[in-house]
Amino acid sequence: MAAFRAELQKAHRRHDLALCLLIPGIVVLWVGGLAPADPEELANGYSALLYSLPVIEAILMPVMMAVLASRLWDMEIKGNTAKLLYTLQSRRSLFAGKVVFGVLEVLLVTVLELACVPVLGRVHGYTEAFPTGQLVYLFVCTLAVDTMLFFGEFLLMLWVGNPLPALCVGIVGALVGLFSAFMPPLASYFVPFGYYIPLSAYEVANWDKATHTVTYGTRPFNWGLLAFTLALGAVLFALAWRKVQDEEV
Amino acid sequence: MLKRCILAENRKLHASPIWAMFFVLPILSATYGTFNYLQNLEILTDGWYSLWTQHTLFYSMLFFPAMVATYAAYLWRLEHLGHNWNLIMASPVPPLDLFAAKFAVVTKLALLTHGFVFALFVFCGKVFAHLPGLPPVTLPLFLLRGLLGALAVIAAQLVLAMVIRSFAVPIFWGLLGGITGIFISSKGFGILWPYSLMQLGMNSNRSADALAGSYGLFAFSCIFWLGTMFLLAWLLLRREDVRA
């Protein structure tokens, strides 16, 4: 608890909350800019929204997770305080404080982002029934991928001790993740940065070339990939913990 | 003094990990662009122009601003570390020369990146897409226009990286800048927003020239935003002092 309180104090004037608020802002801007107008689109509104969100996430979240993870550890690098902390407090409490703080930030980003769904639905007047089950599934999947990426970036920060590689990996990951969405489905399974898209429960059911109208349909929840994402997140977490344990002073 | 500052900035790039991104991002963009072009030959029938749109679409809209932001943040990070800020504030160098030197070096990197993008474009066009002849002369001109538009983005990112003492946040702002550029362009006001200028110059999402009839306004907008960012940097640096 003391370590977590210390992280809270370190976060003063770091404006991480403002960063977390940016994500729902972008979602509103992005999806709000595509506000449907005709009745057919309104009847498909939530489906279109839940189809678009994973694509937006695949672009933004790898970079956002790199930003959150790098800021958490970069202050120790810049202040050269890691050695001090390793000797002043237990490694377990140091790591737990960082991880709990980081995961809470990830949770906040995810909650705020998905809170936009009902808000946008109400603002635009979607006539489609609210898909509670699909939204909960999307929330779990988004949180799982975000956390997995966060631990990956945190591990990279611990390994390299410089935020540049973490950010570069985030940017390249976003690009590869986005591209994997347009590749054959099998290819997307090899790109963890873009797991938002194969985990999505929505797909294009029909695209009318003449009228340029898209109808979305649902597909079965991808429990296997979700379990793999959680397992990968756990492995990255364990590697990060091992790295903190083994670090020489 | 400016020349010596540029030489110093260049030295910071020696053996820097930034070069990994310089090579990886364009290669990924070219790989995906070529793959997508070959998969959609029945729709993409404009030859070199079609391949151009596939190669540069995501690159110019989303990832170029983030890449430039990384270059800028990397160069300013070194000044934000330890006591380096006090060192540069106390050194007998006009502060704007520091900014101008970083601008020159990031512009050089952007120019090299553009050259690399074009080399990959020609290579993929000839080797994988088997396109006839050489690319039309308008395509390298699009690239030069894109570079002109990119100058405003470079200056804006350098100002952000100078003011925000974090490495990561300006990069995220760069990505967001690219996204705002897409929206503002889609509303038809792209010429007024610095992050849209590079996208408009590259002409990466349409076959018709996005700047037809508005070259003067485009050039004015590029110069205006560049001037504004330099003025902002000068004002900010004039107020800055050592942090005791």
Side-chain angles (χ1 to χ4, degrees):
Chain A
M1 195 61 200
F4 178 69
R5 213 175 302 126
E7 288 304 321
L8 274 178
Q9 282 178 333
K10 287 178 198 171
H12 275 181
R13 295 174 58 84
R14 211 168 61 190
H15 307 302
D16 280 358
L17 184 65
L19 270 179
C20 296
L21 284 170
L22 270 178
I23 293 290
I26 298 160
V27 170
V28 170
L29 186 74
W30 196 314
V31 185
L34 312 167
D38 66 77
E40 202 175 315
E41 283 180 322
L42 286 171
N44 219 4
Y46 283 117
S47 301
L49 185 54
L50 295 188
Y51 177 81
S52 315
L53 274 179
V55 180
I56 300 171
E57 286 168 351
I59 296 170
L60 290 174
M61 289 307 188
V63 183
M64 181 66 178
M65 291 306 121
V67 169
L68 292 180
S70 73
R71 280 169 75 75
L72 211 52
W73 195 249
D74 191 33
M75 64 189 321
E76 315 301 355
I77 297 166
K78 278 171 104 173
N80 208 12
T81 49
K83 288 178 182 179
L84 198 67
L85 294 175
Y86 281 141
T87 47
L88 276 179
Q89 65 183 112
S90 75
R91 297 191 178 208
R92 181 181 293 274
S93 71
L94 171 66
F95 185 70
K98 296 268 180 210
V99 165
V100 170
F101 190 82
V103 171
L104 283 177
E105 282 186 331
V106 173
L107 183 67
L108 180 67
V109 170
T110 314
V111 168
L112 289 174
E113 184 205 350
L114 293 184
C116 292
V117 173
V119 175
L120 282 168
R122 183 154 290 201
V123 170
H124 292 153
Y126 292 164
T127 51
E128 186 181 358
F130 187 75
T132 311
Q134 307 285 352
L135 186 66
V136 171
Y137 171 76
L138 180 65
F139 173 75
V140 173
C141 291
T142 304
L143 189 60
V145 183
D146 282 353
T147 314
M148 180 262 291
L149 292 180
F150 172 80
F151 284 132
E153 298 290 1
F154 191 58
L155 175 64
L156 206 55
M157 276 299 293
L158 289 168
W159 257 338
V160 187
N162 183 340
L164 178 65
L167 264 295
C168 288
V169 166
I171 295 169
V172 171
L175 185 66
V176 178
L178 182 63
F179 289 170
S180 73
F182 303 98
M183 296 275 179
L186 187 65
S188 63
Y189 285 91
F190 291 95
V191 187
F193 295 98
Y195 274 4
Y196 302 96
I197 296 162
L199 278 168
S200 168
Y202 285 87
E203 62 187 357
V204 173
N206 181 42
W207 179 53
D208 192 335
K209 233 177 185 176
T211 57
H212 286 278
T213 22
V214 184
T215 317
Y216 299 94
T218 53
R219 61 186 181 197
F221 294 160
N222 199 340
W223 297 117
L225 187 60
L226 181 58
F228 178 72
T229 307
L230 290 169
L232 191 57
V235 169
L236 292 167
F237 170 84
L239 286 173
W241 172 223
R242 172 62 69 86
K243 177 67 186 157
V244 170
Q245 279 178 310
D246 293 348
E247 195 68 66
E248 291 290 345
V249 175
Chain B
M1 191 55 81
L2 177 63
K3 192 181 163 193
R4 295 181 71 162
C5 288
I6 293 173
L7 289 174
E9 294 299 332
N10 271 327
R11 280 201 70 79
K12 291 174 188 170
L13 293 177
H14 281 188
S16 158
I18 210 108
W19 292 105
M21 201 164 79
F22 170 87
F23 285 108
V24 171
L25 264 184
I27 288 174
L28 282 173
S29 194
T31 308
Y32 169 73
T34 309
F35 176 82
N36 208 34
Y37 172 77
L38 294 174
Q39 294 295 306
N40 296 287
L41 283 173
E42 69 280 7
I43 311 168
L44 302 169
T45 53
D46 274 348
W48 284 105
Y49 284 103
S50 295
L51 184 65
W52 176 257
T53 60
Q54 300 310 300
H55 265 234
T56 59
L57 186 63
F58 289 121
Y59 168 74
S60 66
M61 288 190 168
L62 291 170
F63 296 101
F64 180 80
M67 192 161 71
V68 162
T70 312
Y71 296 158
Y74 178 74
L75 289 181
W76 274 112
R77 175 179 169 78
L78 301 169
E79 319 306 352
H80 292 317
L81 281 176
H83 299 291
N84 290 353
W85 186 263
N86 289 355
L87 205 67
I88 60 165
M89 284 291 116
S91 61
V93 177
L96 196 62
D97 278 9
L98 285 169
F99 185 85
K102 289 181 195 298
F103 177 80
V105 170
V106 178
T107 304
K108 181 191 83 176
L109 281 173
L111 184 65
L112 288 173
T113 311
H114 268 41
F116 188 42
V117 165
F118 192 70
L120 286 169
F121 167 69
V122 177
F123 175 78
C124 292
K126 295 305 290 179
V127 174
F128 299 112
H130 305 296
L131 291 170
L134 284 171
V137 74
T138 44
L139 294 180
L141 282 177
F142 286 168
L143 209 61
L144 281 176
R145 280 176 6 181
L147 187 69
L148 187 63
L151 295 180
V153 180
I154 293 169
Q157 282 305 139
L158 280 169
V159 170
L160 279 174
M162 181 181 81
V163 175
I164 304 171
R165 293 168 66 84
S166 155
F167 177 77
V169 177
I171 297 175
F172 193 62
W173 277 110
L175 186 67
L176 296 190
I179 293 170
T180 57
I182 298 171
F183 289 118
I184 292 173
S185 285
S186 70
K187 300 288 178 197
F189 301 112
I191 213 136
L192 304 174
W193 182 238
Y195 287 90
S196 306
L197 292 173
M198 192 264 183
Q199 299 166 9
L200 285 174
M202 291 285 275
N203 211 58
S204 53
N205 62 340
R206 58 191 84 187
S207 50
D209 188 356
L211 287 179
S214 54
Y215 276 89
L217 192 58
F218 175 74
F220 172 77
S221 189
C222 290
I223 293 164
F224 171 78
W225 281 111
L226 189 60
T228 305
M229 291 303 156
F230 264 80
L231 183 67
L232 191 61
W234 179 68
L235 288 172
L236 290 168
L237 280 169
R238 213 175 56 150
R239 283 182 51 195
E240 280 291 340
D241 207 343
V242 293
R243 291 163 199 261

